[in-house]
Amino acid sequence: MSIIDWFIVAVYALIVTGIGIVASRKQNNTDEYFRGSRQLPWWAIGLSIIATSFSAASLLGGPGEGYEHGFLYLQLQFGDLIGYGLVILIFLPFFVGLNLTTAYEYLEKRFDAKTRSLGSLCFLLFVIARLGGLLYAAALVVSTITGLPVYIAILLVGVISIIYTVAGGITAVVWTDVFQFGMIFVGLAAGIWAAASAVPGGLGELWRAASAGGKLAVVNLSWEPESIRSLPTALLAYGMLAFAVAGTNQQSVQRYVSCADVPSARKAILLGWFSGFVGVAATLLLGVLLFGFYSLNAGLPANVKPDEILSYFIVNQVPPGASGLLVAAIFAAAMSSIDSALHSLATCMTVDFYDRYAKSEYSESRSLKVAQWLIVVWGILGIISAFFVASTGKSLLPFLVTYTTMFLGPLLGIFLMGVLFPRINATGAFYGTVLAVILIVVGSENNWFSFPGIWRSAITAPVAIILGLVISLVGSEPPERSLQGLTFWNNGGGLKRMNRPGLDDEEQETSK
């Protein structure tokens, strides 16, 4: 990389750190730290929703996907629309209307404390399993492109993410996400310009070469249940997976509850989906154009894998300046996922466990410090796990990565039990979910199931619901206080809002 490229990357790092420092001046209590006092603009939250899921793997994998399969991956965005639409219809009024901080507070109001802890624990395991992998994958790409030792790249990405996340809370996370998502588009534009300017005839010639290679198809209507590039699979299987992630993942829910009201949250979600559609289309477009570029030139070496195509292009073809913008975009994609993972981890552990079970008298300042230290601790653990992978070449958490993804379907099931099935009680919800997880884990280990992995949420969520309903039918009906204003069918009396994040009304009185 040239001096100008390093200058661009340094300016990017200074800007995101500066956002964190500016945001830190307003972090006086946990509501500001966890939800931005619900004063963040909906459009910023909307961009943050998609930036959170747009990792370095997305930025690198998108062009590789476009190079290999054209625009077919774009069909998944219609599955995302189904998932987000179901969240808006079924979950959003409860998440925002109840004045929640974590999604899992709802589970205690509807069921009991152990069910809330179970839901939160499933989420924590899922995020912890991903954290080291996210950091290492991003650092490895940065190392490959820049020539930095991988350990330095891990420290660079990890430490910067920790600093601004600790300093500014959700406000810093959201505003850096907005900046980083914009940076991603600037980087993609730089890549498209570099490819077009290197070929006589420019974009038109690249497009014609891609068309000749059959890379412009957008829809595949065939029934291929194992393929994510089939529209039925994208709508049905991926749609339910997207519903599980968007509806039960604290990284997403924390954005919704930071909105001022339900209409603002609804607009934020729809903007997030549209921005994601445009972002995915842009990464695929770059990949399609790179196919045209290498078709017209010497071609790619046989040992370059699809997710390495963008890195190879940056190192060998992109001129100074544009290269720096693309590297900054990779940094941005990485950090927008890592900061959200760290902040949501700290939020859940503070609100769902420390505030909920601590014996000492509640203290705003103490909870705030706990959350900040948790971000530091998990950030350091993420760096250490990334170091481990770098030194051994082995994944630190392959087992957890494999099996915690199995929690998404049952976790969706437990929320659907609460909102849509008034007859299901706390015992049925808890043990139905536990049995569903055990069934899926044991069944997968013993090859009892043959369905493709992408269908897991669509199949396991109903299994959890059926088990929860059967267990509940042999027990007592839920008390009225667990239903009024807490289900889709018992919402006539309005929602009983929490007075303060992490505590319900009774606990609020005892903490005074």
Side-chain angles (χ1 to χ4, degrees):
M1 284 176 53
S2 66
I3 293 177
I4 189 171
D5 293 326
W6 281 112
F7 176 76
I8 290 171
V9 173
V11 169
Y12 159 78
L14 288 173
I15 290 175
V16 295
T17 304
I19 291 173
I21 293 172
V22 171
S24 68
R25 299 171 184 172
K26 300 180 180 180
Q27 305 305 312
N28 299 316
N29 57 62
T30 54
D31 191 40
E32 291 175 348
Y33 198 72
F34 294 145
R35 304 190 304 172
S37 297
R38 302 182 75 172
Q39 295 179 354
L40 292 164
W42 65 265
W43 60 266
I45 293 174
L47 294 177
S48 180
I49 288 173
I50 187 57
T52 295
S53 60
F54 213 92
S55 66
S58 304
L59 183 56
L60 296 167
E65 178 70 23
Y67 188 98
E68 292 284 316
H69 302 285
F71 291 102
L72 291 177
Y73 192 82
L74 198 59
Q75 295 172 111
L76 294 183
Q77 297 307 301
F78 298 108
D80 269 330
L81 182 59
I82 290 174
Y84 281 129
L86 290 171
V87 170
I88 290 173
L89 176 66
I90 299 174
F91 292 154
L92 192 65
F94 299 96
F95 289 154
V96 179
L98 289 169
N99 198 30
L100 305 180
T101 298
T102 75
Y104 317 107
E105 291 176 296
Y106 167 80
L107 297 179
E108 179 168 7
K109 292 180 75 70
R110 173 63 176 85
F111 298 119
D112 57 16
K114 71 177 184 297
T115 307
R116 170 184 177 178
S117 298
L118 174 66
S120 188
L121 181 62
C122 287
F123 166 74
L124 291 172
L125 289 174
F126 177 72
V127 177
I128 291 167
R130 295 179 65 237
L131 185 57
L134 283 173
L135 183 52
Y136 173 69
L140 184 61
V141 175
V142 171
S143 174
T144 302
I145 295 172
T146 63
L148 283 173
V150 68
Y151 297 102
I152 300 298
I154 289 171
L155 281 173
L156 192 62
V157 175
V159 170
I160 293 175
S161 299
I162 292 170
I163 289 173
Y164 73 75
T165 306
V166 168
I170 191 64
T171 301
V173 171
V174 167
W175 285 115
T176 52
D177 281 352
V178 171
F179 171 69
Q180 287 163 337
F181 195 60
M183 194 71 239
I184 289 170
F185 274 98
V186 171
L188 289 171
I192 292 171
W193 170 82
S197 62
V199 174
L203 282 174
E205 190 62 28
L206 294 177
W207 191 261
R208 281 189 288 273
S211 178
K215 302 298 180 181
L216 302 187
V218 178
V219 175
N220 171 21
L221 296 175
S222 62
W223 173 249
E224 300 174 23
E226 74 287 347
S227 175
I228 60 174
R229 302 175 193 94
S230 161
L231 184 61
T233 302
L235 296 178
L236 300 175
Y238 183 76
M240 287 302 293
L241 177 61
F243 183 29
V245 173
T248 68
N249 188 316
Q250 177 62 19
Q251 292 175 254
S252 299
V253 174
Q254 195 153 355
R255 270 73 181 165
Y256 314 154
V257 300
S258 296
C259 292
D261 48 38
V262 172
S264 297
R266 188 183 303 121
K267 290 187 289 185
I269 290 174
L270 293 176
L271 175 62
W273 172 81
F274 177 75
S275 302
F277 184 93
V278 174
V280 171
T283 62
L284 296 174
L285 173 62
L286 177 56
V288 167
L289 296 178
L290 288 180
F291 175 86
F293 176 85
Y294 285 111
S295 296
L296 298 170
N297 289 284
L300 279 173
N303 62 340
V304 177
K305 300 175 183 177
D307 57 0
E308 296 173 346
I309 292 172
L310 181 58
S311 301
Y312 180 85
F313 179 68
I314 293 172
V315 171
N316 294 280
Q317 302 293 337
V318 179
S323 179
L325 291 173
L326 273 165
V327 172
I330 293 171
F331 268 108
M335 292 181 182
S336 63
S337 297
I338 293 167
D339 62 10
S340 178
L342 290 173
H343 193 269
S344 60
L345 274 172
T347 302
C348 280
M349 294 188 78
T350 303
V351 175
D352 290 328
F353 292 97
Y354 177 78
D355 286 350
R356 178 64 182 80
Y357 295 108
K359 299 300 183 182
S360 58
E361 185 177 353
Y362 179 81
S363 167
E364 274 285 304
S365 60
R366 188 187 302 118
S367 292
L368 183 58
K369 290 296 182 184
V370 167
Q372 291 172 327
W373 276 109
L374 282 170
I375 291 172
V376 174
V377 168
W378 283 114
I380 292 173
L381 290 175
I383 290 172
I384 292 172
S385 66
F387 279 171
F388 178 86
V389 176
S391 64
T392 64
K394 298 179 180 179
S395 176
L396 179 65
L397 297 169
F399 180 85
L400 282 178
V401 170
T402 299
Y403 288 104
T404 54
T405 57
M406 297 180 183
F407 294 159
L408 287 175
L411 191 55
L412 173 62
I414 200 172
F415 276 93
L416 290 175
M417 288 185 227
V419 174
L420 297 181
F421 295 87
R423 181 60 183 84
I424 294 181
N425 57 30
T427 301
F430 182 85
Y431 290 105
T433 303
V434 171
L435 287 175
V437 171
I438 294 173
L439 178 64
I440 299 305
V441 171
V442 174
S444 298
E445 186 69 22
N446 292 279
N447 297 317
W448 295 347
F449 311 123
S450 59
F451 55 82
I454 193 166
W455 288 88
R456 187 172 288 148
S457 293
I459 294 171
T460 57
V463 169
I465 293 171
I466 292 171
L467 290 171
L469 185 58
V470 169
I471 294 171
S472 297
L473 288 175
V474 300
S476 60
E477 294 188 6
E480 183 63 25
R481 62 178 176 80
S482 296
L483 299 176
Q484 189 59 49
L486 295 172
T487 77
F488 201 78
W489 322 108
N490 299 76
N491 201 15
L495 302 177
K496 186 179 180 183
R497 295 167 58 86
M498 288 188 171
N499 289 337
R500 166 172 79 66
L503 298 179
D504 62 22
D505 295 337
E506 294 176 3
E507 291 168 318
Q508 176 72 14
E509 291 299 321
T510 60
S511 67
K512 291 180 179 179

